[in-house]
Amino acid sequence: MKATVSAFAVAVALLAAGTTAIAQDQGDQQSKPASIAQAAPTAADAEAFVKQAEKELFDFSILNSRAQWVNSTYITDDTDALAAHFGTIGTEMSVRFANEAAKYQKVPGLSYDTKRKLDILRSGLVLPAPTTPGAAAELNKIATSLQSQYGKGKGTLNGKPISGTDIEAAMGTNRNPTELKEMWTSWHTNVGAPMREEYARMVEIANAGAVELGFKDTGAMWRSVYDMPPDEFAALTDELWGQVKPLYDELHCYTRGKLNEKYGDEVQPATGPIRADLLGNMWAQEWGNIYPIVAPEGAGDIGYNLTDLLKTKGYTPEKIVKTGEGFFSSLGFAPLPASFWQNSMIVKPQDREVVCHASAWNVDNVDDLRIKMCTKVNADDFVTVHHELGHNYYQRAYNQQPLLYQNGANDGFHEAIGDTVALSITPQYLVQIGLLQESQVPSAEKDIGLLLRQAMDKVAFLPFGLLIDKWRWNVFNGSVQPSGYNMAWNDLRLEYQGIVPPVPRTEEHFDPGAKFHIPGNTPYTRYFLARILQFQFYKAACEQAGWKGPLHRCSFYNNKEVGQRLNAMLEMGASKPWPDALEAFTGTREMSGEALLEYFAPLSAWLKQQNQGKQCGW
């Protein structure tokens, strides 16, 4: 899961032949927006500034995106160095525009578009560098270093090195608690700990940049992009979490009991928190891989295994991507361009280091769509492909918007689109695409199993999706100091997820760094919002398709009306506040967990029955 690659990305690389040209282009144009500003700026000045900034960003963003692609798909010391160099150019440009935009904030008579674009320029940076000489270069060197350290990171299994992609897969299938503990501990220690000092310095620089732009700190700047004051947005996330927390608590209680049955009190006690490495995922963020452990007797066997079906039917990584494309085509979206198949990295190259973390790209801001994945033939990557293609189709839908509007209504929208489609990966959909026989479709008595399998990913993720940025917000605002980074991280994981590390951790460690989005500096609240929004989108799509059965059985595959209405929302990009976009497709302006709770209502009632008499909570 990763946000789409945009003009504001800072981790970039470029072939040496282009570096001089870009640097010269920057030198030639740098003074133009600054010259527009006057002692008493006018609305016309602001409009001219925005127009020039947008043109300069568009020109830079294409080469910037190509540069990022090189570094992400071919990690070497040289591409790291180029990434840091070019990232400096991009960051300085964006910082310059952000500071200039701040000067026009209170100019009277601004048009809607000028005001909105000024706000986007002012808050569009993820890591703002201050104007202090050398600050942007240092910030980008650190940011590039952190991401590359993660990409090269390795853990161990039985004492032997194992790459990030392979250790993630092993955590999903291995059920030996000793080996799980080794993998978890080695990955978190080897990958996270070396980043700690650089990360603290990066926070210091970015905060100085955010303050220059008029924000309290970098976290406040991140929260300012949601069309409401930063503190109101934080309160909204807490409200949404409050709606769905009771369902998570029941799932946690039930799962802990099943793990206790399997492993015994010495490995997993029957009360208290869950040991993090036992949940089938390196970060305990999604628990679907341990579904066989928690599957309810009778209803638990849903009659098929998607990974097995894919392998039996001879699916390749490329065929998985073709299948994902087919879903969007069934809704009436145009096929992916030929360049997608030529330029994407669908499988892991055998001859070089790459960043395997899945991401979606629009390199030229028009139709050079790509995905970057180290795809394996399994159920998880089948879903991930649908997710990443959701980004691509969103990117293409809004490519007629001005550059500063070429983004999701908010970043949660971008993450939710593909997941909404993935919710339609129902047994009936698998029949429609020939993966499953009609006779294999689970009957209604299997619904609890189907819902539990979904909840082990969708519901289990919710607190993790919230706490990552809660930790960073506290780091940025200073309430968590470098001396307490790891304690604060594990305290939040205990508070929100009810999990604990398999071994004691100290401040010699930096466990946050073992999760890509921390060294990758990708804001994470978008994923929490996406888990909420996807059910709102899904329910709206099912209603538009005329679905009458249980919500979780709905598939809107092959429904052109849904596709038309979905595309109408996607085409808006970031041109309007997100409540407008939400209303355009769902009819409501409020984000809410109600659709998620409706989807899982049968499971919720069942979990409460299973947990009767147990000591839930931690």
Short mmCIF file of all heavy atoms in Angstrom, two decimals, residues 214-252:
data_model
loop_
_atom_site.label_atom_id
_atom_site.label_comp_id
_atom_site.label_asym_id
_atom_site.label_seq_id
_atom_site.Cartn_x
_atom_site.Cartn_y
_atom_site.Cartn_z
N GLY A 214 4.29 28.36 8.36
CA GLY A 214 3.18 28.81 9.19
C GLY A 214 2.44 27.72 9.92
O GLY A 214 1.37 27.97 10.49
N PHE A 215 2.97 26.50 9.94
CA PHE A 215 2.35 25.40 10.66
C PHE A 215 3.05 25.19 12.01
O PHE A 215 4.22 25.54 12.17
CB PHE A 215 2.42 24.11 9.84
CG PHE A 215 1.71 24.18 8.53
CD1 PHE A 215 2.41 24.42 7.35
CD2 PHE A 215 0.33 24.04 8.45
CE1 PHE A 215 1.77 24.50 6.12
CE2 PHE A 215 -0.33 24.12 7.24
CZ PHE A 215 0.38 24.35 6.08
N LYS A 216 2.33 24.58 12.93
CA LYS A 216 2.93 24.31 14.23
C LYS A 216 4.09 23.32 14.12
O LYS A 216 5.10 23.43 14.81
CB LYS A 216 1.87 23.75 15.20
CG LYS A 216 0.83 24.75 15.63
CD LYS A 216 -0.15 24.11 16.60
CE LYS A 216 -1.21 25.11 17.05
NZ LYS A 216 -2.20 24.47 17.98
N ASP A 217 3.92 22.32 13.25
CA ASP A 217 4.93 21.30 13.06
C ASP A 217 4.55 20.51 11.82
O ASP A 217 3.51 20.76 11.19
CB ASP A 217 5.03 20.37 14.30
CG ASP A 217 3.70 19.76 14.69
OD1 ASP A 217 3.18 18.93 13.90
OD2 ASP A 217 3.16 20.10 15.76
N THR A 218 5.37 19.53 11.46
CA THR A 218 5.11 18.76 10.24
C THR A 218 3.82 17.96 10.34
O THR A 218 3.08 17.83 9.35
CB THR A 218 6.29 17.83 9.95
OG1 THR A 218 7.50 18.60 9.93
CG2 THR A 218 6.13 17.13 8.62
N GLY A 219 3.53 17.42 11.50
CA GLY A 219 2.28 16.66 11.66
C GLY A 219 1.07 17.53 11.43
O GLY A 219 0.10 17.11 10.79
N ALA A 220 1.08 18.76 11.95
CA ALA A 220 -0.03 19.67 11.72
C ALA A 220 -0.16 19.99 10.24
O ALA A 220 -1.27 20.12 9.71
CB ALA A 220 0.17 20.95 12.53
N MET A 221 0.97 20.10 9.55
CA MET A 221 0.93 20.35 8.11
C MET A 221 0.29 19.17 7.38
O MET A 221 -0.54 19.36 6.48
CB MET A 221 2.34 20.59 7.58
CG MET A 221 2.37 21.07 6.14
SD MET A 221 4.04 21.30 5.51
CE MET A 221 4.50 19.59 5.25
N TRP A 222 0.65 17.94 7.77
CA TRP A 222 0.05 16.76 7.15
C TRP A 222 -1.47 16.76 7.33
O TRP A 222 -2.21 16.40 6.43
CB TRP A 222 0.63 15.49 7.76
CG TRP A 222 2.03 15.17 7.35
CD1 TRP A 222 2.89 15.96 6.63
CD2 TRP A 222 2.74 13.96 7.62
NE1 TRP A 222 4.09 15.31 6.45
CE2 TRP A 222 4.03 14.09 7.04
CE3 TRP A 222 2.44 12.80 8.30
CZ2 TRP A 222 4.99 13.09 7.12
CZ3 TRP A 222 3.39 11.79 8.39
CH2 TRP A 222 4.66 11.93 7.81
N ARG A 223 -1.93 17.15 8.52
CA ARG A 223 -3.37 17.09 8.80
C ARG A 223 -4.13 18.24 8.16
O ARG A 223 -5.37 18.21 8.12
CB ARG A 223 -3.61 17.10 10.32
CG ARG A 223 -3.03 15.90 11.03
CD ARG A 223 -3.52 15.80 12.48
NE ARG A 223 -3.17 16.95 13.30
CZ ARG A 223 -2.01 17.13 13.91
NH1 ARG A 223 -1.03 16.24 13.77
NH2 ARG A 223 -1.79 18.21 14.66
N SER A 224 -3.40 19.24 7.66
CA SER A 224 -4.07 20.42 7.10
C SER A 224 -4.62 20.18 5.70
O SER A 224 -5.32 21.05 5.16
CB SER A 224 -3.09 21.60 7.06
OG SER A 224 -2.12 21.42 6.04
N VAL A 225 -4.34 19.03 5.10
CA VAL A 225 -4.74 18.81 3.70
C VAL A 225 -6.15 18.22 3.59
O VAL A 225 -6.58 17.89 2.48
CB VAL A 225 -3.74 17.86 3.00
CG1 VAL A 225 -2.35 18.45 3.02
CG2 VAL A 225 -3.74 16.47 3.63
N TYR A 226 -6.86 18.13 4.69
CA TYR A 226 -8.16 17.45 4.68
C TYR A 226 -9.35 18.41 4.72
O TYR A 226 -10.42 18.06 5.21
CB TYR A 226 -8.24 16.46 5.84
CG TYR A 226 -7.29 15.29 5.68
CD1 TYR A 226 -6.06 15.28 6.33
CD2 TYR A 226 -7.61 14.23 4.85
CE1 TYR A 226 -5.18 14.20 6.16
CE2 TYR A 226 -6.74 13.17 4.68
CZ TYR A 226 -5.53 13.16 5.34
OH TYR A 226 -4.65 12.10 5.17
N ASP A 227 -9.16 19.61 4.21
CA ASP A 227 -10.27 20.57 4.08
C ASP A 227 -10.92 20.88 5.42
O ASP A 227 -12.13 21.13 5.49
CB ASP A 227 -11.33 20.06 3.08
CG ASP A 227 -10.77 19.91 1.68
OD1 ASP A 227 -10.24 20.88 1.15
OD2 ASP A 227 -10.86 18.79 1.12
N MET A 228 -10.13 20.86 6.49
CA MET A 228 -10.61 21.23 7.82
C MET A 228 -9.38 21.54 8.67
O MET A 228 -8.27 21.13 8.33
CB MET A 228 -11.46 20.13 8.45
CG MET A 228 -10.73 18.81 8.66
SD MET A 228 -11.77 17.55 9.47
CE MET A 228 -13.04 17.29 8.25
N PRO A 229 -9.54 22.26 9.78
CA PRO A 229 -8.40 22.54 10.64
C PRO A 229 -7.75 21.24 11.14
O PRO A 229 -8.44 20.24 11.36
CB PRO A 229 -9.02 23.33 11.80
CG PRO A 229 -10.25 23.95 11.22
CD PRO A 229 -10.77 22.94 10.25
N PRO A 230 -6.42 21.25 11.31
CA PRO A 230 -5.71 20.02 11.69
C PRO A 230 -6.27 19.34 12.94
O PRO A 230 -6.40 18.11 12.97
CB PRO A 230 -4.27 20.51 11.92
CG PRO A 230 -4.14 21.70 11.03
CD PRO A 230 -5.48 22.37 11.05
N ASP A 231 -6.60 20.11 13.96
CA ASP A 231 -7.10 19.49 15.19
C ASP A 231 -8.48 18.87 14.99
O ASP A 231 -8.81 17.84 15.59
CB ASP A 231 -7.16 20.52 16.33
CG ASP A 231 -5.77 20.92 16.81
OD1 ASP A 231 -4.79 20.22 16.47
OD2 ASP A 231 -5.65 21.95 17.51
N GLU A 232 -9.29 19.48 14.13
CA GLU A 232 -10.61 18.91 13.83
C GLU A 232 -10.45 17.58 13.09
O GLU A 232 -11.23 16.63 13.32
CB GLU A 232 -11.45 19.87 13.00
CG GLU A 232 -11.99 21.05 13.77
CD GLU A 232 -12.93 21.91 12.93
OE1 GLU A 232 -13.47 21.40 11.92
OE2 GLU A 232 -13.11 23.09 13.28
N PHE A 233 -9.47 17.51 12.21
CA PHE A 233 -9.25 16.25 11.49
C PHE A 233 -8.81 15.16 12.45
O PHE A 233 -9.28 14.01 12.37
CB PHE A 233 -8.22 16.42 10.38
CG PHE A 233 -7.90 15.13 9.70
CD1 PHE A 233 -8.82 14.53 8.86
CD2 PHE A 233 -6.69 14.49 9.92
CE1 PHE A 233 -8.55 13.30 8.25
CE2 PHE A 233 -6.40 13.28 9.30
CZ PHE A 233 -7.33 12.68 8.47
N ALA A 234 -7.92 15.48 13.37
CA ALA A 234 -7.49 14.48 14.36
C ALA A 234 -8.70 13.99 15.16
O ALA A 234 -8.82 12.78 15.44
CB ALA A 234 -6.43 15.07 15.29
N ALA A 235 -9.59 14.90 15.51
CA ALA A 235 -10.80 14.52 16.25
C ALA A 235 -11.70 13.62 15.41
O ALA A 235 -12.32 12.68 15.92
CB ALA A 235 -11.56 15.76 16.71
N LEU A 236 -11.76 13.89 14.10
CA LEU A 236 -12.57 13.05 13.21
C LEU A 236 -12.04 11.62 13.18
O LEU A 236 -12.82 10.66 13.22
CB LEU A 236 -12.58 13.64 11.80
CG LEU A 236 -13.26 12.79 10.71
CD1 LEU A 236 -14.73 12.56 11.03
CD2 LEU A 236 -13.11 13.45 9.34
N THR A 237 -10.72 11.46 13.12
CA THR A 237 -10.17 10.09 13.11
C THR A 237 -10.48 9.37 14.42
O THR A 237 -10.77 8.18 14.41
CB THR A 237 -8.65 10.11 12.87
OG1 THR A 237 -7.98 10.80 13.93
CG2 THR A 237 -8.32 10.76 11.54
N ASP A 238 -10.44 10.10 15.52
CA ASP A 238 -10.79 9.48 16.80
C ASP A 238 -12.27 9.07 16.83
O ASP A 238 -12.63 8.01 17.36
CB ASP A 238 -10.51 10.45 17.96
CG ASP A 238 -9.03 10.63 18.23
OD1 ASP A 238 -8.24 9.73 17.88
OD2 ASP A 238 -8.65 11.67 18.80
N GLU A 239 -13.11 9.90 16.25
CA GLU A 239 -14.55 9.59 16.19
C GLU A 239 -14.80 8.34 15.35
O GLU A 239 -15.58 7.45 15.75
CB GLU A 239 -15.30 10.78 15.61
CG GLU A 239 -16.80 10.57 15.47
CD GLU A 239 -17.50 11.74 14.80
OE1 GLU A 239 -16.94 12.86 14.82
OE2 GLU A 239 -18.60 11.53 14.23
N LEU A 240 -14.14 8.25 14.22
CA LEU A 240 -14.30 7.08 13.36
C LEU A 240 -13.80 5.83 14.05
O LEU A 240 -14.43 4.77 13.98
CB LEU A 240 -13.56 7.29 12.03
CG LEU A 240 -14.12 8.37 11.12
CD1 LEU A 240 -13.16 8.66 9.97
CD2 LEU A 240 -15.49 7.95 10.57
N TRP A 241 -12.66 5.92 14.73
CA TRP A 241 -12.13 4.78 15.48
C TRP A 241 -13.11 4.35 16.57
O TRP A 241 -13.33 3.16 16.79
CB TRP A 241 -10.77 5.12 16.06
CG TRP A 241 -10.24 4.11 17.04
CD1 TRP A 241 -9.87 4.34 18.33
CD2 TRP A 241 -10.00 2.71 16.83
NE1 TRP A 241 -9.43 3.18 18.94
CE2 TRP A 241 -9.50 2.18 18.04
CE3 TRP A 241 -10.19 1.87 15.74
CZ2 TRP A 241 -9.18 0.82 18.17
CZ3 TRP A 241 -9.87 0.51 15.88
CH2 TRP A 241 -9.37 0.01 17.07
N GLY A 242 -13.71 5.32 17.25
CA GLY A 242 -14.69 4.99 18.29
C GLY A 242 -15.87 4.20 17.74
O GLY A 242 -16.41 3.33 18.44
N GLN A 243 -16.26 4.46 16.50
CA GLN A 243 -17.37 3.72 15.90
C GLN A 243 -17.03 2.25 15.69
O GLN A 243 -17.87 1.37 15.89
CB GLN A 243 -17.75 4.33 14.54
CG GLN A 243 -18.48 5.65 14.62
CD GLN A 243 -18.86 6.14 13.22
OE1 GLN A 243 -18.02 6.27 12.34
NE2 GLN A 243 -20.13 6.44 13.02
N VAL A 244 -15.82 1.96 15.27
CA VAL A 244 -15.46 0.61 14.85
C VAL A 244 -14.68 -0.18 15.90
O VAL A 244 -14.53 -1.40 15.78
CB VAL A 244 -14.66 0.65 13.53
CG1 VAL A 244 -15.50 1.23 12.41
CG2 VAL A 244 -13.36 1.44 13.69
N LYS A 245 -14.22 0.48 16.95
CA LYS A 245 -13.40 -0.19 17.97
C LYS A 245 -14.09 -1.39 18.62
O LYS A 245 -13.45 -2.43 18.85
CB LYS A 245 -12.96 0.80 19.04
CG LYS A 245 -12.04 0.21 20.12
CD LYS A 245 -11.63 1.27 21.13
CE LYS A 245 -10.63 0.70 22.13
NZ LYS A 245 -11.18 -0.41 22.93
N PRO A 246 -15.39 -1.30 18.95
CA PRO A 246 -16.02 -2.48 19.58
C PRO A 246 -15.91 -3.74 18.73
O PRO A 246 -15.73 -4.84 19.27
CB PRO A 246 -17.48 -2.04 19.75
CG PRO A 246 -17.41 -0.55 19.89
CD PRO A 246 -16.31 -0.15 18.93
N LEU A 247 -16.02 -3.61 17.41
CA LEU A 247 -15.87 -4.78 16.54
C LEU A 247 -14.44 -5.31 16.59
O LEU A 247 -14.22 -6.52 16.66
CB LEU A 247 -16.25 -4.40 15.11
CG LEU A 247 -16.07 -5.49 14.04
CD1 LEU A 247 -16.87 -6.74 14.38
CD2 LEU A 247 -16.47 -4.94 12.66
N TYR A 248 -13.47 -4.41 16.58
CA TYR A 248 -12.07 -4.85 16.69
C TYR A 248 -11.83 -5.57 18.01
O TYR A 248 -11.15 -6.60 18.05
CB TYR A 248 -11.12 -3.66 16.57
CG TYR A 248 -9.67 -4.06 16.79
CD1 TYR A 248 -8.93 -4.61 15.74
CD2 TYR A 248 -9.06 -3.93 18.03
CE1 TYR A 248 -7.62 -5.02 15.93
CE2 TYR A 248 -7.74 -4.33 18.23
CZ TYR A 248 -7.02 -4.88 17.18
OH TYR A 248 -5.73 -5.30 17.38
N ASP A 249 -12.38 -5.04 19.07
CA ASP A 249 -12.16 -5.66 20.39
C ASP A 249 -12.68 -7.09 20.43
O ASP A 249 -12.05 -7.98 21.01
CB ASP A 249 -12.84 -4.82 21.48
CG ASP A 249 -12.14 -3.49 21.71
OD1 ASP A 249 -11.00 -3.31 21.23
OD2 ASP A 249 -12.73 -2.62 22.39
N GLU A 250 -13.83 -7.32 19.80
CA GLU A 250 -14.38 -8.68 19.77
C GLU A 250 -13.49 -9.59 18.92
O GLU A 250 -13.26 -10.76 19.27
CB GLU A 250 -15.81 -8.65 19.19
CG GLU A 250 -16.82 -7.92 20.05
CD GLU A 250 -17.17 -8.64 21.34
OE1 GLU A 250 -16.82 -9.83 21.50
OE2 GLU A 250 -17.80 -8.01 22.22
N LEU A 251 -12.99 -9.08 17.80
CA LEU A 251 -12.11 -9.88 16.95
C LEU A 251 -10.81 -10.21 17.67
O LEU A 251 -10.31 -11.34 17.58
CB LEU A 251 -11.82 -9.11 15.66
CG LEU A 251 -10.94 -9.84 14.63
CD1 LEU A 251 -11.67 -11.05 14.07
CD2 LEU A 251 -10.55 -8.89 13.50
N HIS A 252 -10.26 -9.26 18.38
CA HIS A 252 -9.03 -9.48 19.14
C HIS A 252 -9.24 -10.57 20.18
O HIS A 252 -8.41 -11.49 20.33
CB HIS A 252 -8.62 -8.16 19.82
CG HIS A 252 -7.37 -8.24 20.65
ND1 HIS A 252 -7.35 -8.80 21.92
CD2 HIS A 252 -6.10 -7.83 20.41
CE1 HIS A 252 -6.13 -8.72 22.41
NE2 HIS A 252 -5.35 -8.13 21.51
#
